[in-house]
């Protein structure tokens, strides 16, 4: 991500800092005061400021905010305010004096209350690093969906810290979704109770007390806490219990960070970017090694790092994306590293991983340079039955698109023209999703620079950047790229505010995937899918609960929420037309610091029906289902076929 180089002197940063109102006085994390907006830099890091209500309170739709009627726009239209979603991200000071403040927060899409609609949980930081040390820390923010895509703020679980990565899944196999959240000096399980509330579960921090950061407790300098960037839930050993890959970033001492005191002749930051003093990191700082935690089945975990990641080398991890590289049903892991080579970790079937990134062609750029990997996502772009993937990078480094081949991957970035279109962007979260239902995937990236000084430097980039959406077309040797233009100021693609985490989910039940976007120091965006009518099939996969026996004939076991299940849908085509298949995998942990819905969305193009659905379960069982019509959401239970079918709204 960050490429600042150390320097010894200079005063330009002090002038920028003053312009950014960095000398404002802040209360603790939960206070009402917020940084004042910088005239030439970042948007305000305002507090969310709304009182919480109990999660068990009766659902209600605000009278002043009726659910918006669908429009004819071919776009993702931001309807957050109209739908009651009033969350604002907090990520430190506007001037960004430390690397911690630049990384922003994530979001999880999951079904709280187990009522069939999708809710939201956001991670966030504090108003400043000093505020974190004084305490109390920040909590995660919870919003419940009324079933029509209208949201209300609910009770938070009572966390205290600076939160970054988040991952959702059924950790105890009881049929509902739980969470793992990580941050700066904290890693915690949140379990969903019978009332749909998130309650504190096991603390997953190592025994070393120096790695823990408790807001408000006196802390000595010289002990950088553990810093969790992104989390991924996967069943590495196929025992039906979810494990956690913990991506960790770098060592940052919160008591004595690499910044100077604000004052005459003293640097506020001893590092340089494009001639401007900026915060330091990651160059010159020490990375933290990733960890692997094996699930027990009751929401608790044991540290299995030594066995699962032999020979692991720390690499400034920013994103972790599970997928199936070999097509053998195991969960492999791609790790996007900041400024060092990325990792492609192949699973041996028992949860032991080996890095093959260099031999697979995905460790470094085409010219052999380590890039600043930010986010990663997988999808079958060319519809050939295997997973391709997209990787976002720092400004000056294009978003990369890789196609799978028998030997590994080929870099298709230049052939698509992404090198020209994305080089000026600094991109974070990424998705390969069919938004318009034409049976082809689009490429989405959240964008925004890490340095407020980008607005002052003559580099062709800016601090605030709009999100991007491209249509991709690949058939044989043909490659085409088309950027989707915002339809108006209400478009999620229009505001140049800068963003970090994002996640996919169908929030109004119409079958079309929507997108939630966490903007750094700014208001959340809820991009409702307004690409027009399409033929959608939504598939929800379920494995057996802990109280149920595994289906006969299974080699292993599938977890209750079937993370890792592969689904293949064959749309019905007219006589003489070329047949094709659509491939997806239940993998919520993609993008950047976020977790998407486990429901799979298949746009069938011109087809109003499908000829078959095949499910390859993590247990090893293969299940073939017959034909059906579009416009449905079907729930498939392993060994029992379709157990629920309902029309889309």
């Amino acid at each position: 991500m960050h490429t600042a180089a150390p320097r010894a002197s200079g005063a330009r940063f002090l002038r920028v800092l003053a312009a950014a109102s960095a000398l404002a006085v802040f209360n603790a994390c939960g206070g009402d005061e917020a940084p004042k907006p910088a005239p030439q830099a970042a948007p305000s890091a305002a507090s969310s400021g709304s009182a919480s209500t109990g999660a068990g309170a009766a659902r209600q739709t605000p009278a002043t905010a009726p659910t918006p009627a669908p429009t004819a726009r071919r776009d993702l239209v931001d309807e957050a305010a109209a739908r009651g979603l009033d969350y604002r991200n907090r990520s430190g000071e506007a001037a960004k004096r430390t690397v911690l403040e630049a990384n922003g927060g994530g979001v999880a899409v999951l079904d709280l209350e187990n009522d069939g609609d999708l809710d939201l949980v956001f991670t966030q930081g504090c108003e400043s690093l000093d505020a974190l040390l004084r305490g109390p820390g920040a909590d995660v923010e919870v919003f419940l969906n009324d079933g029509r895509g209208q949201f209300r703020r609910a009770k938070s679980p009572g966390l205290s810290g600076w939160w970054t990565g988040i991952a959702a899944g059924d950790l105890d196999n009881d049929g509902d979704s739980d969470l793992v959240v990580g941050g700066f000096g904290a890693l915690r399980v949140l379990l969903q109770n019978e009332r749909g509330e998130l309650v504190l579960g096991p603390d997953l921090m190592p025994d070393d007390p120096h790695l823990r950061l408790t807001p408000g407790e006196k802390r000595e300098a010289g002990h950088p806490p553990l810093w969790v960037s992104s989390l991924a839930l996967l069943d590495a050993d196929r025992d039906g219990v979810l494990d956690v890959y913990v991506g960790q970033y770098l060592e940052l001492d919160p008591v004595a960070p690499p910044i100077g005191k604000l004052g005459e002749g003293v640097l506020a930051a001893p590092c340089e970017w494009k001639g401007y003093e900026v915060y330091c990191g990651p160059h010159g700082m020490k990375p933290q090694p990733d960890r692997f935690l094996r699930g027990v089945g009751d929401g608790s975990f044991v540290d299995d790092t030594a066995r699962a990641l032999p020979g692991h080398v720390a690499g400034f991890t920013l994103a972790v994306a599970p997928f199936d590289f070999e097509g053998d049903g195991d969960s492999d892991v791609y790790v996007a590293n900041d400024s060092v080579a990325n990792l492609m970790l192949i699973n041996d079937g028992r949860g032991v991983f080996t890095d093959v990134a260099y031999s697979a062609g995905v460790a470094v750029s085409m010219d052999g340079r380590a890039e600043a990997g930010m986010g990663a996502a997988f999808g079958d772009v060319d519809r050939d039955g295997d997973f391709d993937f997209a990787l976002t990078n720092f400004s000056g480094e294009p978003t990369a698109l890789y196609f799978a081949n028998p030997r590994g991957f080929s870099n298709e970035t230049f052939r698509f023209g992404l090198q020209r279109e994305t080089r000026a962007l600094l991109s974070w979260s990424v998705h390969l999703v069919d938004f318009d239902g034409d049976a082809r995937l689009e490429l989405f990236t959240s964008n925004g620079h890490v340095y407020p000084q980008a607005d002052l430097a003559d580099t062709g980039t800016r601090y605030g950047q709009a999100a991007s959406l491209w249509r991709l077309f690949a058939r044989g040797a043909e490659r085409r790229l088309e950027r989707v233009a915002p339809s108006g100021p209400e478009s999620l693609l229009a505001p140049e505010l800068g963003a970090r985490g994002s996640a996919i989910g169908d929030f109004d039940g119409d079958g079309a995937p929507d997108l939630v976007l966490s903007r750094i120091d700014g208001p959340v965006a809820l991009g409702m899918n307004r690409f027009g009518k399409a033929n959608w099939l939504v598939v929800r996969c379920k494995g057996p609960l802990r109280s149920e026996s595994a289906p006969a004939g299974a080699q292993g076991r599938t977890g209750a929420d079937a993370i890792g299940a592969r689904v293949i849908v064959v749309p019905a085509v007219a006589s003489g037309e070329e047949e094709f298949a659509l491939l997806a995998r239940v993998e919520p942990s993609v993008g950047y610091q976020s977790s998407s819905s486990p429901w799979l969305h298949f746009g069938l193009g011109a087809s109003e029906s499908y000829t078959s659905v095949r499910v390859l379960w993590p247990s090893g069982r293969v299940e073939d289902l017959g034909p059906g019509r579009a416009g449905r959401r079907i729930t498939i239970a392993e060994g029992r076929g379709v157990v629920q079918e309902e029309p889309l709204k």
Side-chain angles (χ1 to χ4, degrees), residues 13 18 37 102 134 152 166 214 307 338 352 457 490 526 543 549 574 624 648:
F13 182 84
R134 293 195 303 270
R152 64 174 177 85
I166 188 167
T214 302
R307 186 188 73 91
D338 185 358
V352 178
E490 299 83 11
L526 186 68
S549 59
D624 290 302
L648 300 173

Side-chain angles (χ1 to χ4, degrees), residues 204-434:
L204 304 182
M205 290 294 295
D207 294 333
D208 185 350
H210 295 308
L211 297 177
R212 186 185 308 275
L213 195 159
T214 302
E217 290 188 358
K218 184 174 177 59
R219 185 180 182 90
E220 297 180 354
H223 300 291
L226 178 147
W227 180 351
V228 178
S229 53
S230 287
L231 299 159
L233 290 174
L234 65 157
D235 184 2
D237 52 4
R238 300 168 80 169
D239 64 349
V241 178
L242 290 177
D243 313 305
V244 187
Y245 190 104
V246 183
Q248 298 181 176
Y249 193 38
L250 55 75
E251 294 188 357
L252 174 68
D253 187 346
V255 179
I259 57 176
K261 297 179 180 178
L262 295 177
E264 184 178 356
V266 180
L267 281 179
C271 292
E272 181 185 82
W273 174 80
K274 307 297 183 182
Y276 290 85
E277 283 115 21
V278 296
Y279 67 76
C280 297
H283 288 300
M285 306 180 78
K286 185 177 180 181
Q288 291 187 344
D290 296 342
R291 298 167 63 211
F292 187 88
L293 308 181
R294 179 171 53 82
V296 176
D298 58 358
S300 63
F301 297 83
V302 296
D303 195 324
D304 199 29
T305 304
R307 186 188 73 91
L309 303 176
H312 172 69
V313 178
F316 303 111
T317 296
L318 280 178
V320 182
F323 80 116
D324 187 3
F325 170 65
E326 301 171 298
D328 58 0
D330 295 336
S331 290
D332 309 307
V333 177
Y334 187 78
V335 179
N337 284 327
D338 185 358
S339 305
V340 297
N342 303 311
L343 307 178
M344 178 73 76
L345 302 178
I346 301 303
N347 188 351
D348 69 351
R350 299 169 298 164
V352 178
F353 296 89
T354 302
D355 180 28
V356 299
Y358 275 101
S359 61
V362 294
V364 295
S365 69
M366 294 180 68
D367 56 0
R369 295 184 302 107
E371 297 176 303
M374 314 289 278
F378 292 83
D380 187 4
V381 177
D382 52 358
R383 302 195 311 203
D384 65 349
D386 49 31
F387 288 105
D388 315 304
F389 80 96
L391 173 70
T392 54
N393 289 300
F394 200 81
S395 63
E397 304 166 347
T399 291
L401 187 60
Y402 293 90
F403 276 18
N405 60 46
R407 298 177 301 279
F409 292 88
S410 61
N411 193 319
E412 301 287 321
T413 305
F414 283 78
R415 294 181 65 188
F416 271 99
L418 281 167
Q419 181 269 345
R420 177 184 64 255
E421 294 288 338
T422 64
R423 183 173 289 276
L425 300 174
L426 199 164
S427 300
W428 300 82
S429 188
V430 58
H431 302 282
L432 288 168
V433 176
D434 182 6

Side-chain angles (χ1 to χ4, degrees), residues 143-159:
F143 288 83
L144 297 180
N145 187 343
D146 69 352
R148 298 177 294 163
Q150 201 73 30
F151 291 88
R152 64 174 177 85
R153 191 183 297 265
K155 180 182 178 181
S156 295
L159 295 171

Side-chain angles (χ1 to χ4, degrees), residues 470-489:
W470 287 271
R471 292 186 176 91
L472 304 172
F473 181 88
R475 184 169 59 189
E478 186 179 3
R479 304 285 186 269
R480 293 204 305 268
L481 179 75
E482 176 191 356
R483 188 164 186 171
V484 178
S487 59

Side-chain angles (χ1 to χ4, degrees), residues 309-644:
L309 303 176
H312 172 69
V313 178
F316 303 111
T317 296
L318 280 178
V320 182
F323 80 116
D324 187 3
F325 170 65
E326 301 171 298
D328 58 0
D330 295 336
S331 290
D332 309 307
V333 177
Y334 187 78
V335 179
N337 284 327
D338 185 358
S339 305
V340 297
N342 303 311
L343 307 178
M344 178 73 76
L345 302 178
I346 301 303
N347 188 351
D348 69 351
R350 299 169 298 164
V352 178
F353 296 89
T354 302
D355 180 28
V356 299
Y358 275 101
S359 61
V362 294
V364 295
S365 69
M366 294 180 68
D367 56 0
R369 295 184 302 107
E371 297 176 303
M374 314 289 278
F378 292 83
D380 187 4
V381 177
D382 52 358
R383 302 195 311 203
D384 65 349
D386 49 31
F387 288 105
D388 315 304
F389 80 96
L391 173 70
T392 54
N393 289 300
F394 200 81
S395 63
E397 304 166 347
T399 291
L401 187 60
Y402 293 90
F403 276 18
N405 60 46
R407 298 177 301 279
F409 292 88
S410 61
N411 193 319
E412 301 287 321
T413 305
F414 283 78
R415 294 181 65 188
F416 271 99
L418 281 167
Q419 181 269 345
R420 177 184 64 255
E421 294 288 338
T422 64
R423 183 173 289 276
L425 300 174
L426 199 164
S427 300
W428 300 82
S429 188
V430 58
H431 302 282
L432 288 168
V433 176
D434 182 6
F435 285 107
D436 59 11
D438 67 349
R440 295 193 177 276
L441 301 181
E442 284 82 55
L443 170 67
F444 172 88
T445 64
S446 66
N447 310 310
H449 214 282
V450 296
Y451 303 131
Q453 296 81 0
D455 288 343
L456 306 177
D458 186 19
T459 62
T461 189
R462 294 186 57 81
Y463 182 69
Q465 299 175 9
S468 303
L469 182 64
W470 287 271
R471 292 186 176 91
L472 304 172
F473 181 88
R475 184 169 59 189
E478 186 179 3
R479 304 285 186 269
R480 293 204 305 268
L481 179 75
E482 176 191 356
R483 188 164 186 171
V484 178
S487 59
E490 299 83 11
S491 170
L492 178 143
L493 306 174
E496 295 184 345
L497 297 180
R500 299 296 188 261
S502 66
I504 303 296
D506 178 12
F507 301 112
D508 56 2
D510 65 354
D514 310 306
L515 184 142
V516 58
L517 179 68
S518 180
R519 296 189 176 114
I520 189 167
D521 302 328
V524 65
L526 186 68
M528 301 303 294
N529 192 318
R530 301 303 180 221
F531 280 97
K533 183 176 175 57
N535 297 314
W536 292 104
L537 173 67
V538 180
V539 177
R540 186 178 187 183
C541 296
K542 286 187 172 183
L545 303 180
R546 64 187 177 195
S547 59
E548 301 172 341
S549 59
Q555 301 169 5
R557 186 175 175 91
T558 298
D561 47 9
I563 288 178
R566 176 188 291 221
V567 179
I568 302 170
V569 175
V570 180
V573 298
S575 178
E577 293 185 357
E578 183 180 359
E579 293 186 346
F580 62 93
L582 303 174
L583 169 68
R585 198 167 191 259
V586 182
E587 291 291 4
S589 302
V590 296
Y592 171 77
Q593 295 189 168
S594 298
S595 184
S596 291
S597 163
W599 306 350
L600 304 179
H601 298 259
F602 296 92
L604 304 185
S607 302
E608 297 181 353
S609 60
Y610 56 90
T611 61
S612 67
V613 174
R614 168 171 282 198
V615 184
L616 292 80
W617 298 96
S619 66
R621 184 187 183 100
V622 179
E623 198 161 354
D624 290 302
L625 306 174
R629 297 193 60 79
R632 300 287 189 271
R633 184 171 79 182
I634 61 174
T635 300
I636 305 172
E638 183 177 3
R640 295 188 290 153
V642 177
V643 296
Q644 184 177 2

